[in-house]
Amino acid sequence: MKRFIVLLITAVVILSLTACGRTGQQTPSTTVTPTAPPQTGTGSGSKPYDVKANLRIIWWGSQTRHDYTLAAIDVFEKKYPNITLTAEFTAWDSYWEKLAAMSASKNLPDIIQQDYKYITSYTNNNLIIDLFPYVERGVIDLSNCPEATWSGGIVNDKLVAINLGMNTHCVMIDKDIFDKAGIPIPEDTWTIKEYQEICDKLVAMKDQLGIDYADQSSKNAFNEQIQFAFREKGLWFYNQDGSESFGWDKETGKQIIVELLKREKENIEKKRTAPLAVREENEVNGPESGLIVKGKVAMNSGNWSNQAKSISNAAGKKFVLVALPSETTKKMQYMKPSQFFSVSSNSKYPEQAAFFISEFINNIEMNYELKGERGVPISDKVREALAATFEPDSIDKAVFDYVGRIAPIANDIWKPEPNANAAIIVLYQNMLKNVVDEGMDPEQAFEIFYEQAMIEFEMAK
């Protein structure tokens, strides 16, 4: 893979000549030298909405998102008639090409919907601005937003993006099966030891309960477990400096991963979790086809909270959501930003753009129109207001309540993964299969994984 700087220069040349980009991941196309924010009439006693401004805004998404967002903009414009917005929206596939072309011509919209994997590149190329000054001046209000819900937008000590919705992992529990087994629903602070004890009780009663395993454990669960295993030891799985490398030395990593592999193998052998082949088979058509939908497990760990509604609908029942277990009562899981809004460095009205973003996350009437489509709102007040519109026993309310419980106790999210991440996920999934299905010694499996991972890192540079 070409080095980043080569990609960057190539993107500038191609986009400048043809105004079109390659498919797939797009690199922002030019570096803008930041200047002092324009004076926008926000002197003593004046407010951002006292200034007449037309803001351009761009986002990706479905037609549903477009309709909801336009309705929310209409609410904003009626309340603040001095500020109008010109909207542009497109599908994900063409979105980043369009932004790359705009950045090459220094014509980015004032407000840009951003994704977690791209905010570092846009920050390093000075294409989006630091919003901390606007928070400090009260233009952006984060007072009702727990830090874990917005800290994912910090790059190089700058708040360059505001999270528009939250998502986090969960364990989905079939309360009917737990009640039948006489097992109380665990607390969010439950530990791995407690999880295993509950699984063993369920397995001991599996014929009576009509289940095959205690926990399906989604395919994604191991991806999180390997990250959490390092977090438990105060380490990051990947280096947080943007390099193509692990955040640990080989011997330390070997000890952690071998222990995890042994635990996973034991869980499968004791029917605490479903075999790998069964997990794969039941996810061919998505999580809605999983064992928990069929009543064949009491739990499913590793799903995202925004998947709970579709899985519950498929099963015809509401599941209880609790946090993933950790080695201790301290939570390792994190809040995943669904997407962000950033303010471009070429905006003539950065204060008005920042104010619009603040209203987008805090204005209850706007959020009635947005309907939580971008994820659970980061504002406690907005989340509570939307939750009050749900039926008391609905899965929608359960998801909102769950995310609200986890946000204050969530751990920090890691920086965007390196380029080699996709290949390394395949490698550690293969490592798990080698140990669980092929009977390979965990230490040998680790050595193979590590050697291949070093090659992937080198190729990704």
Side-chain angles (χ1 to χ4, degrees), residues 339-366:
Q339 59 261 163
F340 304 90
F341 271 155
S342 295
V343 177
S344 70
S345 56
N346 57 244
S347 174
K348 295 180 180 179
Y349 300 101
E351 191 139 329
Q352 285 65 38
F355 177 70
F356 172 81
I357 294 173
S358 183
E359 288 292 292
F360 200 88
I361 62 173
N362 287 297
N363 186 301
I364 292 174
E365 295 299 323
M366 289 177 69

Side-chain angles (χ1 to χ4, degrees), residues 11-21 97-98 100-102 104-105:
V12 174
V13 173
I14 293 174
L15 288 169
S16 297
L17 294 174
T18 68
C20 66
E97 292 179 4
K98 189 169 186 175
M102 288 175 167
S105 60

Side-chain angles (χ1 to χ4, degrees), residues 287-340:
E288 296 86 352
S289 65
L291 294 177
I292 196 166
V293 173
K294 301 170 184 175
K296 292 299 182 180
V297 294
M299 296 181 285
N300 189 8
S301 58
N303 288 116
W304 288 102
S305 54
N306 67 349
Q307 295 175 309
K309 183 173 183 177
S310 61
I311 295 174
S312 292
N313 288 345
K317 63 163 63 178
K318 186 186 84 170
F319 296 111
V320 177
L321 309 184
V322 299
L324 295 174
S326 305
E327 288 186 16
T328 67
T329 57
K330 183 179 180 181
K331 292 294 97 181
M332 293 298 109
Q333 72 186 80
Y334 54 91
M335 306 307 298
K336 173 72 167 62
S338 60
Q339 59 261 163
F340 304 90

Side-chain angles (χ1 to χ4, degrees), residues 55 61 116 120 124 128 138 163 239 288 291 307 343 363-364 394:
L55 304 175
Y116 191 60
T120 298
N124 291 341
I128 51 180
N163 181 14
N239 256 325
E288 296 86 352
L291 294 177
Q307 295 175 309
V343 177
N363 186 301
I364 292 174
S394 69

Side-chain angles (χ1 to χ4, degrees), residues 7 14 24 29 70 87 93 99 116 134 152 156 193 197 236 270 282 286 297 315 346-347 358 379 418 429 442 446 454:
L7 286 172
I14 293 174
S29 308
L70 291 173
D93 290 344
L99 280 191
Y116 191 60
Y134 299 98
N156 302 334
K193 181 181 179 180
E197 290 171 349
W236 298 98
K270 293 189 174 183
N282 283 278
V297 294
N346 57 244
S347 174
S358 183
S379 163
Q429 289 287 346
F446 170 81
M454 293 301 102

